[in-house]
Amino acid sequence: MKILVSTDIEGVAGVFHAEQTRAGNGEYERARAWMTGEANAAIEGAFAGGAAEVLVNDSHGGFRNLLPDQLDPRARLVLGKPRYLGMMAGVEAGVDGVLMIGYHGRAQSRGVLAHTINSGAFARVWLNGKELGEAGLYAALAGEFGAPVLMASGDDVFVQETHALMPWVRYVETKSAGGFGSGASLSPAAARAAIAAAAAAAVRERAQAQCLRIAAPVACTLQTQTPAHADLFCQWPMLERRDGVTLSFQADSVQAAVRMLNCLSAMSFMLK
């Protein structure tokens, strides 16, 4: 059995401030070590649950956060960008399930550091009329490859919104949100223990999981953070502008929709 672990940072225990998610300061160095620890806990649990192979996807920012020399040597690590499948790179190799570690609530929610793909560019995203955050977008992408999400961790807002979408998933609440940058967290050690136990149980019970499916063709609606972003994104002829900040486009698959969103995210840095 092959398991993919997709690891973000905003949902990691102890992370509450943007400085902890950006390279170049001591706060980030501590946070990336906690992130690596939670990835290791998921790896430990996956193998304990019966996995024969584990692939870990560094899924935050520039995708160069996890510390390779501190990662469980039984796992292989996907680092760097650009990559076609973003936070779900590796699923194309054929995996039996996905563990989402350190994930966060979608943009405009009250979760800790909540955003969807790019906090400076995207305000809200819908596929076929369903508003989704990163977990929903990438779970649906994994579903196109026949890979169900088995387990996920993050704050209470993330758990609540994602449970409504994927009730079969086993969740670990690493912290409770008091606001965008505040809340109460488990210790890193307690979070690691909970993640390892949940991952083991989720992998053992894989047969009970389902793939999240979104029917093709996929209608994507996007609200941008500013009209300037909409101006820029509409350089793509396939995008239709509905108002100052609302755009829409059609895609042949969830994969195609997510890849377009990631292209738009990359374009947005032209405005900085």
Side-chain angles (χ1 to χ4, degrees):
M1 186 190 317
K2 183 188 295 186
I3 297 297
L4 175 65
V5 179
S6 173
T7 309
D8 207 347
I9 199 170
E10 287 87 356
V12 167
V15 174
F16 287 95
H17 194 279
E19 284 189 1
Q20 294 176 287
T21 72
R22 297 171 183 160
N25 63 84
E27 291 284 338
Y28 167 75
E29 294 302 326
R30 282 190 290 273
R32 73 190 298 207
W34 300 336
M35 177 187 182
T36 304
E38 292 194 8
N40 279 334
I43 296 166
E44 175 188 341
F47 280 114
E53 185 177 352
V54 176
L55 186 63
V56 180
N57 179 326
D58 188 320
S59 300
H60 173 68
F63 299 159
R64 294 184 296 114
N65 308 277
L66 293 170
L67 299 166
D69 61 342
Q70 295 183 23
L71 198 73
D72 188 319
R74 295 174 293 176
R76 290 184 300 130
L77 179 59
V78 179
L79 291 167
K81 64 170 40 174
R83 51 170 93 143
Y84 290 152
L85 301 184
M87 299 174 76
M88 209 47 59
V91 73
E92 73 280 7
V95 302
D96 298 290
V98 176
L99 311 180
M100 292 179 164
I101 304 300
Y103 271 58
H104 50 79
R106 64 176 179 253
Q108 306 299 310
S109 75
R110 64 172 187 84
V112 174
L113 300 173
H115 65 280
T116 301
I117 300 178
N118 182 328
S119 59
F122 302 150
R124 302 176 76 181
V125 176
W126 296 263
L127 296 188
N128 288 356
K130 180 69 175 178
E131 186 172 9
L132 298 173
E134 291 171 17
L137 291 167
Y138 280 103
L141 190 158
E144 291 186 335
F145 287 88
V149 177
L150 308 179
M151 176 260 169
S153 69
D155 73 8
D156 60 327
V157 174
F158 163 75
V159 170
Q160 182 177 5
E161 74 180 39
T162 311
H163 183 272
L165 187 67
M166 297 184 285
W168 61 85
V169 171
R170 187 175 288 265
Y171 293 95
V172 171
E173 183 181 306
T174 57
K175 54 195 170 189
S176 58
F180 185 79
S182 65
S185 178
L186 295 178
S187 70
R192 291 193 300 269
I195 288 168
V203 172
R204 279 195 299 267
E205 298 165 3
R206 177 191 171 278
Q208 300 177 23
Q210 305 171 35
C211 289
L212 181 63
R213 305 280 191 183
I214 293 180
V218 177
C220 181
T221 301
L222 167 68
Q223 283 188 350
T224 61
Q225 291 287 6
T226 70
H229 287 94
D231 294 341
L232 177 64
F233 296 163
C234 281
Q235 299 302 311
W236 284 91
M238 67 185 292
L239 268 67
E240 177 184 351
R241 193 164 190 169
R242 296 188 174 184
D243 60 32
V245 295
T246 306
L247 312 173
S248 63
F249 65 90
Q250 294 282 329
D252 292 335
S253 63
V254 174
Q255 179 188 163
V258 170
R259 288 172 67 173
M260 173 56 78
L261 290 169
N262 286 333
C263 286
L264 297 176
S265 174
M267 286 177 65
S268 74
F269 288 93
M270 295 174 63
L271 298 179
K272 291 192 173 182

